[in-house]
């Protein structure tokens, strides 16, 4: 296995572990994982960079992590480099910018943090916080037919082809997918892409003024032209991807020790792969 595939495997595993809120403090406190993610931000493979950004974005969801992440050597500079690099895909730049803004605002007045925390609680089912970024928005989808890892992979492939999709996460237990997209991308494009699999059908989850959730189907005649994303390379084939067996890749609630054991393996890999 090449060093590049090793890097992609490790960063994808860290991304999946960071998706579990129970793992986020431990990953940031680990002496090797956060510096390793920062090094991955300068990797020549754009998929490694993008996956590392997703992991960092997950970690930044934990407010207690933000000060340490901001102060970590090279973090802010590496994010700036991704934002300014001419070869970075648009969605990668946007994700790096969003993380930079979150970390840059860390340490502000407690009143602002309390207000943001209250807003976060109201939207805790969403993957991404921070609707202050007007260039991006969050869409929650309920997907009929999202029953197993095979369907999940089909859904991933469909979403990754859409230009304007920044990132997404799955809530398999409730058949939902939370997608972060550019503000100029219509939600109908997501529905069209998922419906094109022929085995799944997407509906949008919206909230009323009273906070109640409504599942709204996309209109049958609302097919929109989906602009394909060619900037970001494909994910690894499912048989090579560490996200194939989700229960093993992402630590289950109440089973954090398994994930922490893997962190030691990841830290050892990073130590062997980079020179400080």
């Amino acid at each position: 296995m090449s060093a590049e595939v090793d890097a992609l495997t490790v960063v994808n595993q860290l991304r999946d572990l960071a998706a579990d809120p129970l793992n986020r403090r431990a990953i940031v406190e680990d002496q090797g994982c956060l510096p390793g993610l920062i090094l991955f931000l300068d990797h020549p493979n754009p998929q490694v960079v993008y996956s590392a950004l997703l992991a960092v974005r997950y970690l930044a969801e934990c407010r207690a992590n933000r000060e340490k992440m901001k102060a970590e050597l090279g973090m802010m500079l590496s994010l700036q480099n991704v934002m300014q690099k001419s070869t970075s895909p648009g969605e990668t730049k946007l994700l790096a910018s969003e993380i930079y803004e979150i970390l840059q605002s860390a340490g502000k007045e407690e009143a602002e943090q309390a207000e943001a925390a209250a807003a976060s609680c109201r939207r805790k089912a969403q993957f991404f916080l921070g609707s202050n970024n007007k260039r991006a928005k969050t869409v929650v989808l309920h997907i009929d037919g999202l029953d197993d890892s095979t369907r999940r992979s089909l859904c991933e492939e469909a979403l990754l082809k859409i230009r304007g999709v920044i990132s997404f996460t799955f809530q398999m237990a409730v058949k939902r997918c939370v997608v972060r997209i550019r503000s100029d991308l219509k939600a109908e494009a997501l529905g069209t892409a998922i419906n094109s699999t022929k085995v799944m059908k997407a509906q949008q989850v919206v909230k009323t003024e009273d906070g109640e959730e409504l599942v709204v189907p996309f209109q049958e005649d609302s097919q929109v032209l989906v602009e394909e994303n060619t900037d970001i390379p494909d994910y690894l084939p499912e048989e090579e991807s560490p996200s194939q067996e989700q229960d093993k890749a992402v630590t289950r609630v109440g089973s954090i020790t398994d994930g922490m054991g893997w962190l030691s393996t990841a830290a050892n890999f990073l130590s062997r792969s980079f020179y400080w």
Side-chain angles (χ1 to χ4, degrees):
M1 184 180 293
S2 69
E4 185 168 296
V5 174
D6 281 339
L8 186 58
T9 299
V10 170
V11 75
N12 281 346
Q13 190 80 60
L14 280 171
R15 177 202 64 200
D16 291 339
L17 285 170
D20 189 332
L22 290 178
N23 294 339
R24 292 170 187 167
R25 290 294 300 275
I27 292 174
V28 171
E29 294 297 328
D30 185 271
Q31 294 183 353
C33 289
L34 190 58
L37 282 172
I38 293 172
L39 289 172
F40 282 140
L41 295 179
D42 295 321
H43 199 279
N45 183 347
Q47 185 57 60
V48 171
V49 175
Y50 188 71
S51 193
L53 285 171
L54 286 175
V56 173
R57 184 61 179 85
Y58 275 125
L59 297 177
E61 288 290 295
C62 177
R63 291 183 172 274
N65 285 342
R66 294 179 185 176
E67 283 284 0
K68 180 175 176 60
M69 293 174 66
K70 180 181 178 182
E72 188 71 32
L73 181 64
M75 173 66 79
M76 303 303 282
L77 180 60
S78 293
L79 289 172
Q80 285 181 318
N81 288 340
V82 174
M83 293 156 53
Q84 296 170 1
K85 190 179 297 183
S86 61
T87 55
S88 294
E91 285 71 29
T92 300
K93 289 183 178 181
L94 188 56
L95 183 55
S97 174
E98 197 166 81
I99 298 168
Y100 186 89
E101 291 176 9
I102 291 172
L103 298 184
Q104 190 68 22
S105 65
K108 287 187 176 181
E109 292 82 356
E110 290 185 3
E112 291 183 358
Q113 291 186 351
E115 182 180 350
S120 170
C121 290
R122 290 193 297 269
R123 301 190 303 273
K124 63 182 180 180
Q126 295 186 9
F127 171 45
F128 283 117
L129 312 178
S131 58
N132 58 327
N133 190 336
K134 296 180 180 179
R135 294 174 297 174
K137 60 185 178 182
T138 301
V139 176
V140 181
L141 301 174
H142 177 83
I143 304 175
D144 293 323
L146 185 62
D147 300 323
D148 52 37
S149 60
T150 301
R151 297 285 178 87
R152 180 179 184 268
S153 297
L154 282 175
C155 192
E156 285 179 351
E157 292 174 5
L159 292 174
L160 283 170
K161 291 178 181 177
I162 305 175
R163 179 178 294 277
V165 170
I166 302 171
S167 56
F168 49 82
T169 189
F170 292 92
Q171 300 169 352
M172 297 294 291
V174 290
K175 299 185 179 182
R176 288 190 179 183
C177 182
V178 185
V179 192
R180 191 70 167 166
I181 62 176
R182 293 174 60 143
S183 58
D184 58 351
L185 178 64
K186 294 182 179 180
E188 288 81 2
L190 306 178
T192 297
I194 293 173
N195 294 349
S196 69
T197 65
K198 306 299 184 183
V199 293
M200 290 179 286
K201 183 165 183 160
Q203 302 175 83
Q204 187 173 3
V205 180
V206 298
K207 283 193 175 183
T208 66
E209 294 180 356
D210 299 330
E212 296 292 327
E213 289 189 348
L214 294 178
V215 178
V216 180
F218 294 110
Q219 296 181 3
E220 294 294 335
D221 58 352
S222 66
Q223 298 288 314
V224 297
L225 180 64
V226 177
E227 185 178 359
E228 289 199 3
N229 185 6
T230 58
D231 289 333
I232 300 177
D234 294 336
Y235 275 103
L236 287 173
E238 193 64 31
E239 63 270 18
E240 299 179 22
S241 173
S243 63
Q244 177 183 8
E245 296 178 272
Q246 186 181 18
D247 289 343
K248 296 180 181 178
V250 182
T251 305
R252 292 181 177 178
V253 174
S255 182
I256 192 171
T257 54
D258 294 338
M260 294 309 97
W262 192 90
L263 283 181
S264 298
T265 303
N268 290 336
F269 170 84
L270 295 171
S271 298
R272 294 194 310 268
S273 303
F274 302 106
Y275 296 93
W276 276 270

